Amino acid sequence: MTVTETPAVLPLTRRTWFVRLLQALVIVSFVGGWELLGRAGVLDPFFYSRPSLFVLRIAEWFSEGIAERSIWNDMRVTLMETILGFTIGTLLGVGIGYAFARNRLLGQAFDPLFSMFNAIPRLVLAPVFILAFGIDLASKVALGVTLVFFIVFFATFTAVRDVDQTLVDNVRILGARRRDVTFQVLLPAAFSAILASLRTSAGFAFAGAVVAEYIGSNVGLGRRIARAAAAPRASPRRRPRAAPRSRPPRPRSRLRSPRGRP
Amino acid sequence: MAGGEVAAVTLRGVSKTYRPPQKRPYLAITDIDLDIPTGRFVSVVGPSGCGKSTLLSLVSGLLPPTTGEVTLNGTPVREVRTDLGFIFQRDALLPWRTVRENVALPLRFRGRSDRARVEEWITRVGLAPFADNYPHELSGGMRKRAQLAQSLVADPAVLLMDEPFSALDVQTRNLMENELLTLWGASGKTVLFITHDLEEAIALSDEIVVMTAGPGRIKARYTVDLPRPRNVTEIRFSPAFATIYEHAWNDLRDEVERSYQRSLQRS
């Protein structure tokens, strides 16, 4: 490559390069250190594996096709649950948050109740959701909705309630109807706060889907994690070299659930 | 049309008590009887906390009076009125709309689109080069001009102004006062102007109303018969101005003192 080439984007400044370099350094030293410690026998490969091994294992997953049991299908299902939970939770959150901010009676009556519900750790209630909504998609979406809803609800409620009253008074005198006040003033004014809450809640929709799958599901990334945790095999099918003698492998009975026995 | 015959705004036995939740209710204004004749420029002066702004909220219908009756343009005020202009002390332009879009709002809310009229008003307040700018890109004085254009574009007969220039520096403020007088000049509009600045009130108005410290009552009224057109900066040097100022200040001084003492007791 020659220096005469004109870059398609603005050239990165020296400082940006330095920042990138630091970032790369952190990642390389973490992954490289892990690999080296694993090869040197400091980290027990049974519990910690090595980056070079589990990358191959993951590659194996991705090459198993797109059948029902494949990682592709797991990703598809989890993504769908995430999107549904996020969308439904956001719509409910914005709608009800707006109504509560506009109607003082509603706000006063239900705000404490909502705060109470919000204080319940919903992830722990995942088994209840599975009992109520079944083992399929609905329970995962429902858990995601309860997580997303409260974040978006409180953000919308606060943002709409705190809109500068002068703006509202002014447009009312200028002839705005109720609908104009909503769409020309309140929602645009609350927009950035709502948007910020969406960034947080998208992550929660995903967490809700995965946790609910982990607790009870036939498919999805959470299911895959649960299975992997029950039968650890962080390396590809080819058996890795035997673990160092210094730390013998744990007896299998510790890893198997005792429930299967009579 | 002879100004001063018909009242554009009347207040009869008006009082207003605020009842904030979980706090003691307080009486903001009481016993207000006031006629603002059509076409007149009337200023209300009073110490801070005397309920001057409350007066405008009642006239515009943003708040209902506790007792008494308010009429505007001949009809009783029962809801928010849109047949007036209101210039707020704080910035009231929509920050996410350009000057042009802001000025066009009142027409848009009425389902009308009159581009020529919007452009005319933007030009009249001197904002033609900034029509596509957003409010935060303008100076404080320019934002006030935009608000004037916004309030006047639908041609209201009455203009309410709540300490509109108090946040501006002195030079900009004088410029804006002169500009307001020019715009108002031959328009025949009624202006009800709230200020705590006696000089500003005299320089602009046909009549000034002095209010007492809260609860606000009307203490005195003065007619300002200085010649028009006026230059607000120069008229302050005229002997007639000084005479009115002296009289009105005698009334106002006691109220300012009382209001100040009360604020000390409260804290």
Side-chain angles (χ1 to χ4, degrees):
Chain A
M1 198 191 287
T2 58
V3 275
T4 48
E5 276 178 5
T6 38
V9 289
L10 281 174
L12 294 172
T13 62
R14 269 179 151 195
R15 196 187 163 78
T16 330
W17 274 114
F18 188 62
V19 169
R20 292 283 153 78
L21 192 75
L22 275 179
Q23 289 168 340
L25 216 66
V26 169
I27 296 169
V28 166
S29 54
F30 179 75
V31 176
W34 186 354
E35 178 73 28
L36 283 176
L37 288 174
R39 279 182 190 275
V42 181
L43 292 175
D44 186 334
F46 182 83
F47 294 105
Y48 302 105
S49 188
R50 289 207 305 267
S52 62
L53 294 177
F54 66 69
V55 164
L56 286 175
R57 176 76 182 111
I58 291 169
E60 199 178 284
W61 278 351
F62 279 98
S63 59
E64 278 167 353
I66 55 165
E68 204 180 319
R69 290 269 161 202
S70 71
I71 193 170
W72 292 104
N73 193 48
D74 283 343
M75 283 168 63
R76 183 185 66 82
V77 170
T78 304
L79 186 67
M80 197 150 81
E81 290 159 359
T82 304
I83 291 173
L84 277 174
F86 177 73
T87 312
I88 298 171
T90 300
L91 290 178
L92 285 176
V94 171
I96 298 180
Y98 179 80
F100 277 33
R102 287 290 272 160
N103 188 322
R104 268 197 21 215
L105 186 71
L106 268 182
Q108 282 173 349
F110 287 101
D111 189 38
L113 274 175
F114 273 50
S115 297
M116 192 185 78
F117 280 127
N118 189 38
I120 301 172
R122 263 113 38 218
L123 283 180
V124 181
L125 291 184
V128 178
F129 279 85
I130 290 163
L131 279 177
F133 293 96
I135 202 159
D136 292 327
L137 189 107
S139 58
K140 283 75 192 176
V141 173
L143 185 59
V145 167
T146 63
L147 292 169
V148 171
F149 170 77
F150 284 102
I151 298 170
V152 179
F153 167 81
F154 283 112
T156 309
F157 178 68
T158 319
V160 172
R161 194 193 50 194
D162 294 347
V163 170
D164 187 351
Q165 189 59 35
T166 310
L167 294 187
V168 177
D169 288 345
N170 188 47
V171 295
R172 287 179 74 197
I173 286 169
L174 295 176
R177 289 148 297 181
R178 234 185 129 71
R179 185 168 43 112
D180 297 320
V181 174
T182 303
F183 290 102
Q184 298 295 326
V185 184
L186 295 175
L187 287 182
F191 184 71
S192 63
I194 295 174
L195 207 68
S197 78
L198 296 190
R199 284 175 67 158
T200 322
S201 63
F204 276 92
F206 181 69
V210 170
V211 169
E213 284 167 356
Y214 187 92
I215 304 289
S217 171
N218 298 318
V219 65
L221 291 175
R223 170 68 190 147
R224 185 164 286 264
I225 292 170
R227 241 184 323 165
R233 193 163 64 82
S235 317
R237 253 171 232 290
R238 252 180 305 109
R239 293 193 60 201
R241 278 169 297 161
R245 288 288 99 190
S246 60
R247 204 167 165 187
R250 301 285 171 95
R252 300 209 86 183
S253 60
R254 272 203 62 174
L255 299 163
R256 276 271 168 79
S257 156
R259 266 176 294 167
R261 293 189 194 160
Chain B
M1 190 172 69
E5 285 180 357
V6 198
V9 178
T10 64
L11 296 102
R12 291 270 170 275
V14 168
S15 75
K16 177 70 188 174
T17 306
Y18 286 104
R19 299 179 192 285
Q22 276 134 41
K23 277 187 210 151
R24 204 184 294 171
Y26 67 96
L27 186 61
I29 54 172
T30 186
D31 299 329
I32 302 286
D33 282 290
L34 188 62
D35 290 308
I36 313 289
T38 301
R40 297 267 272 186
F41 197 124
V42 177
S43 288
V44 177
V45 230
S48 52
C50 75
K52 306 182 292 276
S53 299
T54 301
L55 216 55
L56 293 193
S57 298
L58 299 182
V59 172
S60 60
L62 287 170
L63 292 174
T66 308
T67 65
E69 175 143 291
V70 182
T71 60
L72 172 72
N73 298 330
T75 46
V77 177
R78 303 246 185 272
E79 59 198 347
V80 175
R81 294 292 287 262
T82 56
D83 52 344
L84 53 81
F86 199 132
I87 310 281
F88 291 87
Q89 183 176 8
R90 296 162 47 126
D91 277 330
L93 299 169
L94 297 183
W96 49 87
R97 297 264 181 213
T98 63
V99 168
R100 181 179 285 120
E101 290 168 338
N102 264 297
V103 173
L105 274 181
L107 302 178
R108 195 175 148 175
F109 291 146
R110 289 166 173 79
R112 279 157 49 196
S113 164
D114 192 340
R115 285 207 181 171
R117 203 174 161 73
V118 171
E119 297 307 319
E120 185 204 323
W121 271 102
I122 291 173
T123 310
R124 279 176 80 169
V125 297
L127 285 180
F130 303 99
D132 291 314
N133 286 71
Y134 288 91
H136 70 90
E137 299 169 324
L138 308 179
S139 68
M142 284 151 100
R143 287 202 290 269
K144 281 294 168 220
R145 288 160 198 266
Q147 266 173 268
L148 268 173
Q150 185 186 52
S151 295
L152 292 171
V153 72
D155 200 23
V158 175
L159 187 59
L160 308 181
M161 306 183 83
D162 186 4
E163 303 197 30
F165 307 137
S166 59
L168 304 177
D169 63 84
V170 179
Q171 284 88 5
T172 313
R173 190 169 167 173
N174 287 344
L175 279 174
M176 289 302 301
E177 287 163 358
N178 276 326
E179 207 140 329
L180 173 64
L181 286 186
T182 314
L183 287 174
W184 171 70
S187 70
K189 292 189 195 306
T190 312
V191 181
L192 184 52
F193 192 98
I194 303 289
T195 179
H196 56 258
D197 180 350
L198 187 54
E199 276 194 49
E200 180 180 46
I202 301 171
L204 292 173
S205 317
D206 298 318
E207 186 180 340
I208 57 175
V209 177
V210 180
M211 286 183 73
T212 64
R217 292 182 174 83
I218 292 173
K219 178 159 188 177
R221 299 177 68 161
Y222 292 91
T223 305
V224 182
D225 43 8
L226 300 171
R228 290 190 191 272
R230 299 180 194 163
N231 178 316
V232 293
T233 328
E234 286 155 21
I235 203 165
R236 290 166 211 233
F237 307 126
S238 83
F241 185 96
T243 315
I244 299 169
Y245 189 92
E246 207 182 328
H247 282 110
W249 175 242
N250 278 333
D251 283 330
L252 191 55
R253 190 181 43 212
D254 302 341
E255 302 306 327
V256 171
E257 184 66 24
R258 199 176 303 167
S259 164
Y260 181 63
Q261 290 302 338
R262 211 171 290 172
S263 74
L264 287 181
Q265 283 165 17
R266 221 172 292 152
S267 57

